[in-house]
Amino acid sequence: MDKLIVHGGTPIHGAITISGSKNASLPILAATLLTDEDCVIRRVPDVSDTNYMVQILTGLGADVERFSGTVRVTAADISDTAPYDIVRRMRASVCMMGPLLARKRRCVVALPGGCVIGDRPVDLHIRGLEALGATATIDGGNVVLEAPDGLRGATIDLCGTNGPTVLGTDNVMMAATLAEGITTITSAACEPEVVDLADFLNAMGAKITGAGTPVITIEGVSKLKGCVHNVIPDRIEAGTFMAAAALAGEGVTLRRVHEGHLAAITAVLRKAGHQVHFNDSGDACTVLRGDTPMPAEIVTEPYPGYPTDMQAQMTALFATTPGTSVVVDTIFPQRFMHCAELKRMGADIQVSDGKAVITGVKQLSAAPVMASDLRASAALVLAALTAKGTTEILRLYHIDRGYEHIDEKLLSLGANVERVRE
Ligand code: EPU
């Protein structure tokens, strides 16, 4: 296992390029199972979650090649079973269900179980696939989905108690591409990653309209073909570096971003007194730390609201912002593991009922801290950039799940960080 050593107090400045989106790449890689033809996907980030996905595809029998950000998949002859030893390593492997069921008319996918950021059921995924005509049984920790006569279009509402489901929308959308007739998903997730998947599926020959709105319509087709696709930029990686620049920056430019995808994050940073400037084409931005940072309030919501995947990083920024800031997570109300670690660095944070109240302190102090999940670890890295002394962030594999070469990117911005073996 690696750990990251961060010597705090060195400002970051300069420019980096944002990688392709992890959360768009994962379902797109799964969607390659819908055809026996070659699919070429570019700008897949080199992170462990996409590596797991490649291993899953290979394990299912697909032929996969990976070279500098490009993944080529040919799923000519595949099995219908994604076993637990694979699924348990990455929850997002549940997005195999839709494509496997559509292609093979049967699939066995291990249920993912608990998750450190909260209880993450898959009831909506299963309900959606049942609405398309599949029967679902739970057997030995696996969900077995069967539709021997193929799937049929239906109208399906995917709203859960905490809003729409992103991967659930992906699963039903993927399955419906090969269903007979028309499927309408209401209360669909509107995240840009869902739109990127729909673009990929349409390039394969699917007939999807409305992605990016709460109502998605899919007209089933009998066969999909191979295609070439470029993955969208990772808005959460961009947001994380934007927060880092607001916290510890002297002018940081991010290339290959999408201004529209970053609207909610930009609004919070500006409200907190920092400057964010986009170029005319909206594909690069420069973030400057404000002279008088101010507290702010965040409530996470489904897109286009403020993303839950960016609340931990903003909490790290607020930890040294004068005044009292509030972070409420309505999507994953238990996602506050990072707060206990930030408190070990001297932060003043009270967490209760899905809400963190953060009273800014002058400076955090270094401590050995433990990464608990992907975004929590990013928050600890950010906090360490301005903390007094040397912080050791243990269990770095959490951050390697979703941030491509984060230590190299930070080094190129002048941060004093080093990756070492624990
Ligand atoms: N939910 C249900 N039933 C379901 C599915 C979800 O009640 O069947 C609930 C969840 O418990 C949660 C809410 O619905 O309260 C939203 O969860 P969602 O299903 O949208 O999450 P997901 O699709 O499993 C994706 C991202 C997460 C991100 C969430 C929310 C991927 C691979 N993962 O997960 O990303 O937090 O959407 O935006 O796209 C991350 O990258 O760090 C990460 C956790």
Side-chain angles (χ1 to χ4, degrees):
M1 274 197 277
D2 288 352
K3 63 182 174 185
L4 192 72
I5 300 190
V6 182
H7 305 283
T10 312
I12 56 171
H13 56 89
I16 53 165
T17 301
I18 294 303
S19 301
S21 161
K22 165 186 85 84
N23 287 349
S25 298
L26 296 174
I28 287 173
L29 286 167
T32 62
L33 296 173
L34 287 162
T35 179
D36 57 5
E37 295 184 15
D38 276 16
C39 294
V40 176
I41 304 149
R42 298 193 184 120
R43 297 189 178 135
V44 175
D46 180 17
V47 294
S48 52
D49 271 12
T50 61
N51 287 331
Y52 286 141
M53 194 51 104
V54 164
Q55 282 171 29
I56 295 171
L57 295 174
T58 310
L60 287 167
D63 179 21
V64 188
E65 272 182 279
R66 188 170 192 164
F67 40 96
S68 49
T70 297
V71 180
R72 189 191 55 75
V73 185
T74 316
D77 186 16
I78 50 165
S79 124
D80 61 12
T81 303
Y84 182 61
D85 65 331
I86 292 175
V87 175
R88 75 186 163 82
R89 288 202 267 168
M90 184 179 64
R91 198 189 169 279
S93 36
V94 293
C95 67
M96 291 286 143
M97 276 195 256
L100 278 181
L101 175 65
R103 173 90 181 271
K104 304 290 288 183
R105 299 192 167 187
R106 177 181 191 272
C107 71
V108 183
V109 177
L111 288 167
C115 173
V116 72
I117 67 175
D119 184 23
R120 297 178 71 185
V122 288
D123 55 314
L124 293 168
H125 301 234
I126 295 172
R127 210 193 305 155
L129 297 171
E130 283 178 323
L132 291 175
T135 55
T137 43
I138 306 295
D139 180 21
N142 302 313
V143 57
V144 182
L145 289 154
E146 289 172 298
D149 300 324
L151 298 169
R152 288 180 315 277
T155 296
I156 302 158
D157 189 85
L158 284 181
C159 195
T161 41
N162 299 350
T165 159
V166 176
L167 290 177
T169 301
D170 290 346
N171 254 330
V172 175
M173 189 165 71
M174 288 189 277
T177 57
L178 292 178
E180 194 184 316
I182 293 182
T183 298
T184 304
I185 305 175
T186 59
S187 307
C190 301
E191 270 67 6
E193 295 77 17
V194 174
V195 178
D196 204 30
L197 173 64
D199 288 345
F200 176 70
L201 293 167
N202 283 337
M204 294 173 86
K207 293 187 175 166
I208 301 172
T209 54
T213 77
V215 181
I216 300 179
T217 305
I218 305 117
E219 189 185 333
V221 296
S222 57
K223 196 170 172 2
L224 293 175
K225 59 181 189 319
C227 69
V228 178
H229 182 79
N230 292 325
V231 173
I232 56 169
D234 196 310
R235 64 193 167 101
I236 306 301
E237 188 202 16
T240 301
F241 278 101
M242 288 166 82
L247 182 64
E250 286 179 345
V252 172
T253 297
L254 307 177
R255 300 188 212 99
R256 199 168 183 272
V257 298
H258 189 302
E259 180 173 2
H261 297 171
L262 296 169
I265 297 165
T266 302
V268 168
L269 286 174
R270 287 183 177 149
K271 209 167 163 206
H274 306 288
Q275 293 179 41
V276 184
H277 304 288
F278 284 88
N279 65 357
D280 288 345
S281 44
D283 62 3
C285 72
T286 299
V287 181
L288 296 161
R289 179 174 167 81
D291 294 333
T292 48
M294 289 174 290
E297 183 163 338
I298 294 173
V299 180
T300 68
E301 285 169 348
Y303 190 85
Y306 189 86
T308 171
D309 292 343
M310 267 302 298
Q311 59 94 336
Q313 304 88 317
M314 219 49 102
T315 301
L317 172 64
F318 293 153
T320 51
T321 298
T324 301
S325 298
V326 177
V327 173
V328 179
D329 199 328
T330 66
I331 314 282
F332 295 118
Q334 296 162 48
R335 196 180 200 176
F336 287 101
M337 298 280 279
H338 49 282
C339 292
E341 298 299 296
L342 290 172
K343 282 163 86 164
R344 296 187 58 249
M345 297 175 74
D348 180 351
I349 307 176
Q350 304 303 322
V351 179
S352 63
D353 302 329
K355 174 167 150 179
V357 177
I358 307 131
T359 306
V361 297
K362 203 162 181 314
Q363 190 178 28
L364 298 181
S365 54
V369 286
M370 192 84 83
S372 57
D373 73 77
L374 173 58
R375 309 303 172 188
S377 10
L380 299 178
V381 174
L382 263 53
L385 289 175
T386 55
K388 187 173 165 42
T390 299
T391 300
E392 287 194 5
I393 299 156
L394 308 174
R395 297 194 184 168
L396 203 56
Y397 61 86
H398 284 294
I399 210 161
D400 291 333
R401 285 188 41 214
Y403 288 91
E404 186 173 53
H405 312 150
I406 190 167
D407 47 328
E408 290 170 23
K409 288 189 180 183
L410 284 168
L411 273 171
S412 78
L413 291 174
N416 194 345
V417 301
E418 57 185 312
R419 175 190 288 265
V420 294
R421 286 242 158 244
E422 257 181 46

